Structures are given as structure tokens and as C-alpha cells.
Amino acid sequence: MTDHHTYGTSTHTVGELVRLVSDRLGLVLTERDSAYRGIHHLAGSPNRRIEIQPNPIPGDDGEDDRYAPRHSAAQVLLLTTTPVAEPALQARLASIEGLIHLNHETV
């Protein structure tokens, strides 16, 4: 089983959210660049993956697409993936002002 959560914000920039999450969770998020997702930040371990990225991502036609089109109002996304539910992680993220829980999936 894998537990996925999506959060979004229009209050914070990517850089601000990286700093807030790093401080709140004691993590180092590393900047990455990909043709599909553009510049994003990642903190990963064998049991947890946390990613922060802009919702607008590079499109094939030169126009930006949305990584999460159902949540187009969110300019910045935070994605978590864990093998099981982690209520303590969700509570810490919920305490960040302006960060809204958008979606939860268990696969």
C-alpha cells in the first residue's frame, strides 16, 4: 500500500514553501530539473518522498500546462508519498498557514 497526499498553495512561492517545509520537518529538499516537470525540489528516503513544485509545468507547445489541472488555483504543489499513512506528517504539514490539503489517494 502507498499513501499519497497533494497539498497546494497560492500564498507561498516555491522557495518560501521549501523553507517552511524544511524548517517544519527538518528536511533538506534538493533542487531538481526535468524536461517534464521543470524545476522542482525533492526530499526522499526509502520510506518517504516529499516534493515541492510549481503547478505550471513546461508544455509541449511552449505554453505552460498544469501538473494538477483539477487544482489550477494552486500555484505551488507539495506531494507526499509514504508506504503507510503518517498522521504526524500530515499534522505538521496542516500546521503550515496557507497550505491546503487537496487530495488523498491510497494505492
Side-chain angles (χ1 to χ4, degrees):
M1 180 170 80
T2 304
D3 197 55
H4 300 279
H5 289 265
T6 303
Y7 295 83
T9 184
S10 293
T11 305
H12 304 293
T13 65
V14 169
E16 291 168 345
L17 190 57
V18 166
R19 183 184 50 76
L20 287 166
V21 170
S22 294
D23 291 349
R24 191 70 42 105
L25 301 179
L27 297 174
V28 174
L29 287 112
T30 307
E31 185 175 295
R32 305 285 176 104
D33 192 3
S34 79
Y36 172 66
R37 294 175 60 189
I39 295 174
H40 58 285
H41 296 78
L42 172 67
S45 69
N47 295 320
R48 180 189 289 172
R49 184 177 178 96
I50 296 176
E51 302 169 79
I52 297 174
Q53 71 172 66
N55 196 1
I57 57 174
D60 293 334
D61 58 2
E63 297 290 322
D64 284 344
D65 291 330
R66 295 282 179 181
Y67 185 80
R70 292 185 335 181
H71 305 293
S72 61
Q75 294 299 307
V76 178
L77 300 173
L78 185 149
L79 313 167
T80 67
T81 304
T82 56
V84 296
E86 287 193 30
L89 171 63
Q90 306 315 317
R92 285 178 167 173
L93 294 175
S95 72
I96 296 174
E97 188 175 332
L99 188 63
I100 300 166
H101 189 259
L102 302 173
N103 191 40
H104 174 233
E105 293 180 32
T106 302
V107 183

